Structures are given as structure tokens and as C-alpha cells.
Amino acid sequence: MSSSAINLKGAIGKDALRNLIANPAFDEWSRGLSFDVSAAQDTINLTNGPDNWFIRYFPDDGTTTDNLILEKKKHDIGQTLVEGNPVYYTRIRNGKITTGTDGNEQITLSQRIPNVRLLQDETVSLSFYARGGTSGMKLGVGFQQVFGISGGPDEFGDAGDASDPVTVQGQQVSLETEWARHRLRFNIPSITGKSIGTSGSNYTELNFFVQAGETAAKTTFRNLPAAVAYAGDTLDVANVQLERGVDTSTFENIQYSNTFAEMIGAQVTAIAAGQVTKAAPRASDALDISTYADITTLSSGNSFYITLNDQNDSSGNNILKFGQFYNADIVTDPIYIVSPSLAGHRVASPSQDIESLDVFATVVDGDKRVLEITSFNELDGGDQNIVLNIFAIQLGVAANLFAGAIESSGPGASDSTGDDDVPGADGSDIEIDDGKGCSTCEPL
């Protein structure tokens, strides 16, 4: 019998879909083309950069004189040192941390690969191109298994405790001022005997260590062979590939495969669903959920405004959300349905029927993350604002925008709970796991 007509490997090549890294050639930067990154002492800042990648910036008790700059750069036309004729690469510069007493400062360029089960008990090969601003510049590389966050029991009644993170023995490479490909192998440990939390995401995290203090390098958290010094010089990274096995193969960039993009079509970048009881009175306040008030207290019959990135732990609305709604040219306007919510809706007369309840919405001009809503109840000839239900999705083109494990409401935000794998959900400082065991905080 012949093989299936839909055969990904056969359709695109024998070894297609081997690269486990998303946005591996740094083509997609839906949040901007450059980012300034800084942090106060004792604070970890997780800042999104190119799609699916983020910077971890942790001065600990050290000091800084300028911000780290993360930016999108173009390869020279006609260059041949980096295979595959890529267009872009990532540059990191500035932001040197002067070592403090603890020696625990860290700067990483990182990506989280969802599902800690995916690579457990595997030998993996990592390859990437890199160059430094000075010859002999060091770059650390390592992996960490993260088992989620402890929570309540799951649907089977199993405990929701999360094991402490496990750090794979790291490695270090020496860079030159010209592009060179580096090939490393890692043994990812088995997770037999571990517990995966029922809250938050579990993942295997890839870290490129731009800087790591002496203490940070030696702890079981980072497990590097030596400290990684950084003088603030430029560091360029391109064409990252992670694949199972001991062999390193030709670089694969799915985002540049039109055949693959056309086959899988558009990708859902976000979904939001639930009941809206609070909103902002003005469009200019919609992204600031601290301004939200009960809909029924706003001016009767007037429009009010909500952000589709709302979550119930922030505004008081009962919204469940997956992914991130973007205000970018590479995504479409959200698709949404709004309807009256009879639950929690108080009417003047028990006999009032549903025909008197009306809800309308439109995307605010210039911002795909915000809806303008008119939701009213015709009472005694007037209009009374009412609560409503909402369901919204946003689609991005698979070849251009991949909804990653790391999302935020903006560059520089941080996650204090760890239960959302979203640096930037609330803008607060994150709780640091100092190696003494912490099943409810962000791994250092």
C-alpha cells in the first residue's frame, strides 16, 4: 500500500521538521526591531525580543552603566559564511553587569520548548552561528528542564506538585570576529520519578549565556564549566538549530518554506472567552486595566472599551485567554462574537425578555487589541449598560508569526507568578528561585 498522500517528511524532504527551534533564523520580530533592557538590583527582567525568544537580565547585586540593546540586523548581501542565505540575525550589545558580592549576575538569550516530555532522555545536537565584537569572547550554552508550577489535583485526582528544575551540564564556546558555526551535543536527562505541576507550563529551556557570574555558573541552576565574562561588546547569533540525535544536519528554517506555510494555513495566535463585567470608559484607557470599572456604573448607553489581552486575575472580568493578541501588520483583525450575558444581569422586571438586550462591538481604529462595545438594556425608554459574553480569536500567518511560549504585554515586563509562562502579565518583579527549592516561582 502506498504511503499517505499527506506526508510531511516526504513532501519537504527526508529529514524535514527536524529543527525544534521556533523562529530559528530570527526572521520574525512582531513586537519591534530593537529593545532596551535593564533591571534594578535583585530583580530579574524577562523581555521579549524576536518572536519566541526572550532576554533574561539579572544584575543581582551588581551594577550597570547602560542598558542592554537587543536588535534585528541584516546580513550583508552575498555573504557565504552563514549557510542558507538568511536575511536576518540577532545582535546583543551594551548592558554589561559589573559583578557584585554574590557573583550571581546573568544575561541570557533564551527560548522555551513546550512540553518537558518532548526531549527527556534524549541526546540532542545544537548548532548555531555566532561572532563576537572581540576575538576570544565567550558564550555559554545550556538547557534546563522546568516542570511547571504546583497547583491543585488534575482531572484524574493526581497531585499537582512540580519537581524542582533540572539543569543539564552546560558548555562554553569561544567566538571570533567572523561568523562560525558551533556544534554541541547535550544529554537531556530522563524525567522518570519527576512530577509535573498542574499549573503553568512545563518546558525545556535553551539558554545562551551572554554573561554569568562565578556563583551563577557553579550552581546547579546553570551548571556551566566556568563563569562567562561580558564587556558589553557586540554579540551576533544566527541560524539556531536543535535536533534529536548526535548528528548535525543542514540548517532548516520552516518559516521560509512556502509549501509548509500553505499546507498548515493561518495560525491562531490568541483566544479569549468569558464574561465581561468591567471596562474602561475611554479607548485611551483600555490597555490599562487598573482604570476598569463596573459596566453598569459607566454612562448609560455610551460605548466602553476592553483589551482582548485581559485576564480575570487582573481586571476582575471572568476571561480565559490563550496566547497573545497583537497590534501588528502581520496579523488580521480579531474575529469576535459578543452577546448579552443573562448570568449576573439584573432586570427591572422578571418578565423582561431577551429582545430588549443588545450588544455591538467594533475594533478600535489603529489598535487590534481593543474593542469598542455598546451593550445596553432598554429599560423604561432609556439605556442601561449590561454585562456581556465575548469570544475572540486572532489569526497570524504561520510563516510569519509563531505563537510562542513566551509572551508579554510589552518589552520589559515580568512575571511574578510563573503560572502563565508569560513574562509581563502583571508588570511586577518576579520571585527568584535561589536554588533552595521553589515550586511556585520563576526559575533563575
Side-chain angles (χ1 to χ4, degrees), residues 401-416:
L401 181 62
F402 277 65
I406 302 296
E407 294 142 349
S408 80
S409 55
S414 55
D415 180 9
S416 64

Side-chain angles (χ1 to χ4, degrees), residues 74-381:
K74 272 189 177 182
H75 285 286
D76 293 335
I77 296 176
Q79 69 83 30
T80 57
L81 291 177
V82 181
E83 68 171 311
N85 296 311
V87 180
Y88 305 107
Y89 62 92
T90 284
R91 169 164 289 178
I92 297 171
R93 60 183 174 86
N94 301 352
K96 168 190 173 183
I97 302 172
T98 301
T99 302
T101 304
D102 293 343
N104 203 26
E105 65 279 357
Q106 296 176 48
I107 303 174
T108 74
L109 174 65
S110 305
Q111 181 170 137
R112 291 174 177 174
I113 302 160
N115 189 355
V116 72
R117 299 173 176 86
L118 183 66
L119 294 176
Q120 69 97 16
D121 202 21
E122 295 255 15
T123 297
V124 297
S125 297
L126 176 73
S127 62
F128 59 93
Y129 287 82
R131 65 182 178 185
T134 56
S135 180
M137 187 174 176
K138 304 298 182 184
L139 179 66
V141 187
F143 288 88
Q144 186 177 60
Q145 295 172 308
V146 178
F147 298 94
I149 304 297
S150 297
D154 62 15
E155 63 267 35
F156 297 99
D158 295 333
D161 294 335
S163 295
D164 289 332
V166 173
T167 301
V168 180
Q169 176 64 55
Q171 302 182 51
Q172 192 176 92
V173 298
S174 182
L175 308 180
E176 299 300 328
T177 55
E178 293 290 338
W179 287 109
R181 193 181 192 190
H182 300 269
R183 300 172 174 85
L184 304 173
R185 295 174 184 166
F186 295 86
N187 294 319
I188 309 297
S190 168
I191 61 173
T192 299
K194 299 295 183 181
S195 297
I196 298 177
T198 54
S199 180
S201 294
N202 59 85
Y203 49 84
T204 303
E205 183 173 278
L206 165 63
N207 291 301
F208 290 107
F209 290 92
V210 180
Q211 183 170 358
E214 192 73 30
T215 303
K218 290 181 178 179
T219 63
T220 55
F221 260 117
R222 295 315 180 194
N223 206 7
L224 295 171
V228 181
Y230 176 59
D233 297 324
T234 59
L235 167 66
D236 297 335
V237 182
N239 283 23
V240 182
Q241 178 144 306
L242 177 66
E243 49 196 317
R244 293 181 174 89
V246 298
D247 296 326
T248 301
S249 55
T250 303
F251 177 70
E252 176 187 64
N253 184 9
I254 288 297
Q255 277 106 323
Y256 266 26
S257 171
N258 290 332
T259 302
F260 184 77
E262 290 170 1
M263 180 176 63
I264 66 173
Q267 179 175 356
V268 174
T269 66
I271 300 173
Q275 185 187 61
V276 177
T277 61
K278 298 177 184 293
R282 293 173 295 274
S284 58
D285 294 331
L287 298 178
D288 182 5
I289 54 181
S290 67
T291 65
Y292 282 25
D294 289 340
I295 288 172
T296 55
T297 66
L298 301 178
S299 298
S300 295
N302 288 349
S303 296
F304 46 82
Y305 303 85
I306 63 168
T307 172
L308 292 171
N309 285 321
D310 183 13
Q311 293 184 129
N312 60 339
D313 59 345
S314 302
S315 71
N317 286 327
N318 186 18
I319 300 292
L320 297 178
K321 185 172 75 72
F322 158 82
Q324 193 80 1
F325 288 84
Y326 294 100
N327 183 32
D329 292 337
I330 58 177
V331 294
T332 61
D333 282 359
I335 302 167
Y336 56 87
I337 299 172
V338 290
S339 63
S341 176
L342 294 182
H345 171 58
R346 298 178 181 177
V347 297
S349 170
S351 63
Q352 185 170 3
D353 56 38
I354 197 168
E355 282 80 4
S356 62
L357 308 179
D358 294 289
V359 181
F360 305 97
T362 184
V363 178
V364 168
D365 184 33
D367 198 328
K368 301 173 185 178
R369 300 166 296 178
V370 176
L371 287 187
E372 176 182 356
I373 299 175
T374 303
S375 178
F376 61 90
N377 176 359
E378 298 176 4
L379 284 177
D380 299 326

